[in-house]
Amino acid sequence: ITVHAEAGPHLHRSLQAIRALGKKAGVSLNPGTPISAIEYVIDLIDLVLVMSVNPGFGGQAFIPSALGKISDLRAMTAGRPIDIEVDGGVSPAVSGQLAAAGANAFVAGSAVFKGGTMESYKANISAIRNTAALARGEAVISDRFADSTRAYQGYGHGFAAERIEALYNVAVGALVPDLTLILDLPVE
């Protein structure tokens, strides 16, 4: 369960409540929120979500200052099993930079759904993953997706069950073992 650091005055209490439920806890940071907002709760966090656009709508341009924030977070979280996820403007043009800075989970919406066909979705996802893998110095030997327990199906929002299943089948299996791609499915 991920909460925005800016959502209330008691981030520590929110993270404790999430963990008391036996769930993993994440904190989302808006573009203007400094990483110091999580400094004193870092040991309660399993994931930091860096918003690289202002929340509200899809298709926004990536905010480049997120790269510095991700690098700083990777240094802050060194030695801890904390995922760094990025949401906003994620595309093949920036996924390599994001991976090199330290991100290991990406939320992609508009960049995935360009082209309108399953084949284009597959190619778009592959391009994001391959660019990230190359930036990490990992060999990309195939554009086929292997099985992986780290891939997420996403959420339906009006999609027919067979379309969700087909998108899931395209998305599962990272070419990069510890890289997660989360589909941000549009409303139909």
Side-chain angles (χ1 to χ4, degrees):
I1 299 173
T2 302
V3 296
H4 277 266
E6 311 85 3
H10 302 292
L11 181 57
H12 187 270
R13 188 176 299 157
S14 296
L15 295 171
Q16 284 180 319
I18 293 167
R19 288 188 162 273
L21 295 171
K23 306 299 179 194
K24 290 187 175 187
V27 176
S28 179
L29 302 174
N30 282 330
T33 302
I35 66 169
S36 61
I38 62 169
E39 183 177 2
Y40 296 106
V41 295
I42 195 77
D43 291 326
L44 296 173
I45 297 173
D46 298 294
L47 174 140
V48 179
L49 171 59
V50 175
M51 295 300 301
S52 48
V53 298
N54 287 297
F57 60 94
Q60 296 180 61
F62 176 78
I63 298 173
S65 62
L67 291 167
K69 185 182 280 190
I70 293 164
S71 293
D72 293 345
L73 277 167
R74 183 48 64 206
M76 177 189 274
T77 61
R80 292 180 172 97
I82 297 174
D83 289 317
I84 298 177
E85 182 177 39
V86 183
D87 183 357
V90 174
S91 71
V94 297
S95 63
Q97 296 171 65
L98 294 168
N104 67 319
F106 302 151
V107 177
S110 298
V112 169
F113 294 103
K114 289 181 180 175
T117 67
M118 286 301 199
E119 289 306 311
S120 63
Y121 300 163
K122 181 178 179 180
N124 296 339
I125 291 168
S126 183
I128 292 169
R129 285 194 168 131
N130 290 345
T131 303
L134 290 172
R136 289 186 160 163
E138 298 168 2
V140 178
I141 57 175
S142 172
D143 65 353
R144 285 191 255 155
F145 295 93
D147 289 337
S148 171
T149 58
R150 292 290 316 261
Y152 294 100
Q153 182 169 336
Y155 41 91
H157 294 313
F159 273 70
E162 59 274 1
R163 186 161 178 205
I164 292 173
E165 183 177 347
L167 285 171
Y168 177 73
N169 290 335
V170 168
V172 295
L175 294 172
V176 182
D178 67 343
L179 179 69
T180 302
L181 180 74
I182 298 173
L183 296 175
D184 191 1
L185 303 176
V187 175
E188 282 192 340

